[in-house]
Amino acid sequence: MSNTHSGKGNNQKSHKSGTAAANTGGIHDHDRKQHREKTDTGNTVTDIAGQRRQQQNESRIKTPSAKSIWAQISSDSDFFTDTEPTDAQDGKDPILSIPRHHMYAIWALVTIALITAIILPAPEEISNRNDYTWVSTGRLPDSHPGMSRNIFSDEDVNATETLDSEPIPFNVLYDEDESEKSDDSADNEWFTQTVVPGDNINNIFMSLNQPFAVLKAIEQVPEYGKNIRSIKPDDKLYFLFNNKMQILQLVKPYDRQHQLRFTRPSPDSLEFTAVLEPKDAHLDNQNDDEIKSTTVIAGQTRPEEQQTQGDKKEPEVTQTADSGSTGKQQDNRAEEARKQQELAKKKAEEEARRKAEEKKLAEEKARRELISKRKELVTFNIQKGDTFVQAAQRAGLTKSEALKITQLYKGRMQPKHLRPGDEVRVLFASSKPNSKINAVSIKSQKNGRLNAFRNTANNSYYDDKGTHARMSTKFNRYPVAGPIRITSNFNPHRRHPITGKVRPHNGTDFGVKVGTPIFAPADGIVTKATFQRAAGNYVVIQHRGDYSTVYMHLSKILVKPGQKVKANDRIALSGNTGASTGPHLHYEVRIKGVPVNALKVSLPSSGYDGDSASEKKFKIQIAEYKRKMGIN
């Protein structure tokens, strides 16, 4: 029993020992297994990281093209996935796989962009949207105090004309007869520019379209040059322009009793001189030289004749040289024959020129005789085929005097459109040559009788009502009614933003709807109403004196050439024709055909500017003029 029990005890001990050993071995095996798993996991992470680095390097080296992406999208229906891309998706490139929710976001953005593009209005509709309602109930643009209520867009942000278009040529806007163009000495008149708050001399020169080189030349005049920049509000600057709008003289205030006058000898010179003189000295003899004959009195040699005489001597020298050359080359018969032909041709040309000069001198002599015999009152009628200048010269007037008369009637009538039988009466101060014109009366079948009388107090001309013959009674600032919106300003020095070339903007652009009424700012005559590729439908109006206005890009023209218009008359409807990118009116004011700043230039406002006593004296002069001319 005891043995048996002891065997059982031994067996139990052995079993416990085996179990413990087994347990110990299991623990070691478990540890070794965890260690192997950790090692395998580390190797796997290392391998995955290496593979990802390798894929990133490959993606940097070779990026799939749009064509390859589109090919995969077209051929693979499983391109869009619901899960993140892995490298075990049947060999597909994980770079080309896009999650479905990402694609939803992309398509949503594309849809929003398309809807926005459809809903937004066109650019021209945006440029036509104003903060106010346009109601054309009348012509009251000048009710605005100055320009304080004008709305200015940023420079060229809403510009409504292409920068690539050149300014409209002068000969397109104006039909001037070459035979009736005035020369520099025929009609020079003072222009007055009043200084307003905010003005400086640079802005004034730019507004008048004058080159800054002239301003710099005036500044360099010794002693007084720098004073040109000393101006203040309400100062009056006087410019004497020639027919090409070039400055000949400039007058500015110096103090209460004196003024400075800057003068240059010719328009081509930049050498100015300055003189300090009493105030308004330039107005005392304003028109003393305005109406002088360009005909030279007999016995004087004209510059043209001196040039002609010089030209006559040249063929003689050439002939002598050719004769000597021919003598040296007598053996060369062909060369001698050629030179003889050239000499014969020169002689023929010289003979023709001599005869033409003789004819010209004979006509000039006849004119001198006619002028010397003309009386104080000259009366003539327009004949068939005559221009006004031709008829005037045949009656004893000089070309300069005839051109002066056409200037007096600008904006009231067009002397070149006079019909056969129309009568012209010209009253001179005396029967002597070069005497001043005191009065002109033209009786036409179309316009009736129109008069111009000279006031000896200021040498200016007025009509029967006391209105200045060369200035409008009222010249409105704006050609449109209602609030003013400026989309592009006058800028003669504007440059193209890409090419850098100067592309002047000769007018002011008003942002208005298509069909907005356009009004004449002053009385005048329509000289052009037609279509041009860049200007579109456009109208040109000649006002009194040297002023004219231009209106472009119109949708409809309501006037015709030759038609007389009054201030505030409706002449057209605004539009978007020609080289225009949006509805607007391009408006120009021109002096002597040169564009100026319509918003800043001083506009004419005429009427008799004397006191009551001098006005009564002038009325007595008018009555005397009419008596001498035999008109009522």
Side-chain angles (χ1 to χ4, degrees), residues 416-488:
K416 68 178 182 179
H417 290 164
L418 290 174
R419 302 172 183 175
D422 289 348
E423 181 190 68
V424 181
R425 298 189 180 194
V426 183
L427 180 66
F428 289 91
S430 69
S431 59
K432 297 179 180 179
N434 299 336
S435 61
K436 297 177 181 178
I437 296 176
N438 276 348
V440 180
S441 179
I442 299 179
K443 184 179 180 181
S444 67
Q445 303 168 43
K446 183 178 181 180
N447 300 297
R449 186 175 294 280
L450 296 175
N451 302 321
F453 304 106
R454 172 175 168 261
N455 185 355
T456 56
N458 59 9
N459 286 316
S460 295
Y461 291 83
Y462 300 85
D463 60 16
D464 299 77
K465 297 179 180 179
T467 303
H468 198 294
R470 303 195 60 177
M471 294 185 186
S472 300
T473 54
K474 175 65 176 176
F475 205 117
N476 296 317
R477 179 69 65 181
Y478 309 110
V480 294
I484 306 301
R485 185 170 70 97
I486 309 298
T487 58
S488 191

Side-chain angles (χ1 to χ4, degrees), residues 135-174:
V135 181
S136 299
T137 57
R139 171 63 175 84
L140 298 172
D142 288 277
S143 61
H144 307 294
M147 292 183 291
S148 60
R149 291 177 58 187
N150 290 357
I151 303 172
F152 289 88
S153 298
D154 292 338
E155 182 67 22
D156 285 336
V157 170
N158 292 325
T160 39
E161 294 175 16
T162 171
L163 284 172
D164 293 321
S165 60
E166 294 284 352
I168 310 302
F170 177 86
N171 59 356
V172 173
L173 298 177
Y174 300 90

Side-chain angles (χ1 to χ4, degrees), residues 346-547:
K346 288 182 179 180
K347 287 181 179 180
E349 292 176 353
E350 178 61 28
E351 183 67 18
R353 188 164 56 198
R354 184 184 62 80
K355 290 182 178 180
E357 186 63 27
E358 288 179 354
K359 182 180 179 181
K360 183 179 179 180
L361 291 175
E363 292 175 351
E364 196 70 29
K365 183 178 179 181
R367 287 198 189 99
R368 293 194 196 104
E369 293 177 354
L370 189 60
I371 292 172
S372 64
K373 295 178 180 179
R374 79 180 181 191
K375 298 180 180 180
E376 185 178 354
L377 176 64
V378 176
T379 303
F380 60 93
N381 293 86
I382 305 297
Q383 298 180 5
K384 187 176 181 179
D386 272 350
T387 65
F388 177 79
V389 173
Q390 290 172 344
Q393 286 181 312
R394 189 176 59 250
L397 276 69
T398 65
K399 183 178 180 180
S400 175
E401 292 166 343
L403 292 173
K404 175 63 180 180
I405 293 174
T406 63
Q407 293 291 322
L408 290 177
Y409 282 86
K410 269 189 173 181
R412 302 169 66 193
M413 63 171 296
Q414 293 177 296
K416 68 178 182 179
H417 290 164
L418 290 174
R419 302 172 183 175
D422 289 348
E423 181 190 68
V424 181
R425 298 189 180 194
V426 183
L427 180 66
F428 289 91
S430 69
S431 59
K432 297 179 180 179
N434 299 336
S435 61
K436 297 177 181 178
I437 296 176
N438 276 348
V440 180
S441 179
I442 299 179
K443 184 179 180 181
S444 67
Q445 303 168 43
K446 183 178 181 180
N447 300 297
R449 186 175 294 280
L450 296 175
N451 302 321
F453 304 106
R454 172 175 168 261
N455 185 355
T456 56
N458 59 9
N459 286 316
S460 295
Y461 291 83
Y462 300 85
D463 60 16
D464 299 77
K465 297 179 180 179
T467 303
H468 198 294
R470 303 195 60 177
M471 294 185 186
S472 300
T473 54
K474 175 65 176 176
F475 205 117
N476 296 317
R477 179 69 65 181
Y478 309 110
V480 294
I484 306 301
R485 185 170 70 97
I486 309 298
T487 58
S488 191
N489 290 302
F490 172 83
N491 187 358
H493 309 297
R494 182 178 65 172
R495 290 185 178 274
H496 194 286
I498 298 176
T499 64
K501 294 182 179 180
V502 176
R503 289 290 185 268
H505 188 242
N506 289 332
T508 301
D509 288 352
F510 295 89
V512 292
K513 289 182 178 180
V514 172
T516 300
I518 308 301
F519 301 93
D523 298 354
I525 297 178
V526 178
T527 58
K528 272 292 189 74
T530 184
F531 177 85
Q532 198 262 355
R533 183 175 181 180
N537 295 321
Y538 73 97
V539 171
V540 180
I541 298 179
Q542 177 64 56
H543 304 282
R544 289 197 180 197
D546 297 321
Y547 291 84

Side-chain angles (χ1 to χ4, degrees), residues 27-318:
I27 292 172
H28 290 306
D29 292 340
H30 179 70
D31 293 338
R32 284 194 296 271
K33 184 177 180 180
Q34 287 183 344
H35 176 71
R36 285 195 301 271
E37 288 178 353
K38 290 181 180 180
T39 304
D40 293 341
T41 303
N43 294 335
T44 303
V45 172
T46 304
D47 294 341
I48 292 174
Q51 291 176 3
R52 288 182 177 176
R53 284 195 298 271
Q54 183 178 0
Q55 290 174 357
Q56 291 175 358
N57 293 334
E58 291 176 354
S59 65
R60 292 192 190 101
I61 298 173
K62 183 178 180 181
T63 302
S65 64
K67 186 175 181 181
S68 63
I69 294 175
W70 179 249
Q72 182 170 345
I73 292 174
S74 302
S75 60
D76 191 353
S77 59
D78 295 331
F79 177 72
F80 303 114
T81 64
D82 292 324
T83 60
E84 294 295 330
T86 63
D87 26 327
Q89 293 182 346
D90 299 332
K92 293 194 295 289
D93 190 347
I95 298 176
L96 299 179
S97 298
I98 301 176
R100 192 177 300 276
H101 60 277
H102 288 182
M103 287 307 303
Y104 289 157
I106 292 173
W107 284 115
L109 291 175
V110 171
T111 304
I112 292 173
L114 290 175
I115 294 174
T116 304
I118 294 172
I119 293 176
L120 283 179
E124 57 268 18
E125 295 178 7
I126 295 176
S127 66
N128 193 40
R129 274 187 185 172
N130 303 326
D131 296 330
Y132 46 82
T133 303
W134 279 93
V135 181
S136 299
T137 57
R139 171 63 175 84
L140 298 172
D142 288 277
S143 61
H144 307 294
M147 292 183 291
S148 60
R149 291 177 58 187
N150 290 357
I151 303 172
F152 289 88
S153 298
D154 292 338
E155 182 67 22
D156 285 336
V157 170
N158 292 325
T160 39
E161 294 175 16
T162 171
L163 284 172
D164 293 321
S165 60
E166 294 284 352
I168 310 302
F170 177 86
N171 59 356
V172 173
L173 298 177
Y174 300 90
D175 290 330
E176 276 200 17
D177 188 348
E178 291 293 333
S179 64
E180 297 189 2
K181 283 186 178 179
S182 60
D183 54 26
D184 291 346
S185 62
D187 184 44
N188 298 330
E189 199 166 277
W190 291 99
F191 170 82
T192 306
Q193 176 71 23
T194 303
V195 180
V196 299
D199 267 350
N200 58 55
I201 194 65
N202 286 31
N203 292 340
I204 291 175
F205 265 65
M206 184 174 178
S207 296
L208 294 174
N209 209 347
Q210 296 300 311
F212 287 115
V214 175
L215 176 58
K216 292 298 182 183
I218 293 176
E219 287 183 319
Q220 294 174 3
V221 175
E223 188 175 357
Y224 296 117
K226 297 299 181 181
N227 188 266
I228 188 64
R229 294 194 172 276
S230 177
I231 58 175
K232 61 182 184 297
D234 298 327
D235 280 352
K236 293 185 182 297
L237 305 180
Y238 298 91
F239 296 84
L240 185 64
F241 295 118
N242 64 2
N243 71 309
K244 297 180 180 178
M245 196 65 177
Q246 295 172 307
I247 296 177
L248 300 178
Q249 296 184 32
L250 189 157
V251 174
K252 72 170 296 291
Y254 184 75
D255 54 31
R256 291 186 177 182
Q257 290 79 30
H258 299 88
Q259 65 183 21
L260 286 174
R261 188 193 300 215
F262 297 92
T263 307
R264 59 175 169 176
S266 70
D268 299 326
S269 172
L270 289 178
E271 298 294 331
F272 280 85
T273 58
V275 59
L276 187 65
E277 60 186 12
K279 187 178 180 180
D280 295 334
H282 66 293
L283 299 177
D284 293 340
N285 57 349
Q286 178 176 347
N287 290 329
D288 284 349
D289 297 326
E290 261 192 0
I291 310 179
K292 286 190 176 181
S293 171
T294 55
T295 304
V296 182
I297 305 301
Q300 296 181 356
T301 304
R302 301 183 60 180
E304 295 85 356
E305 296 176 6
Q306 295 177 356
Q307 181 65 31
T308 303
Q309 294 174 0
D311 293 341
K312 288 182 179 180
K313 295 179 182 179
E314 291 181 3
E316 296 177 1
V317 176
T318 305

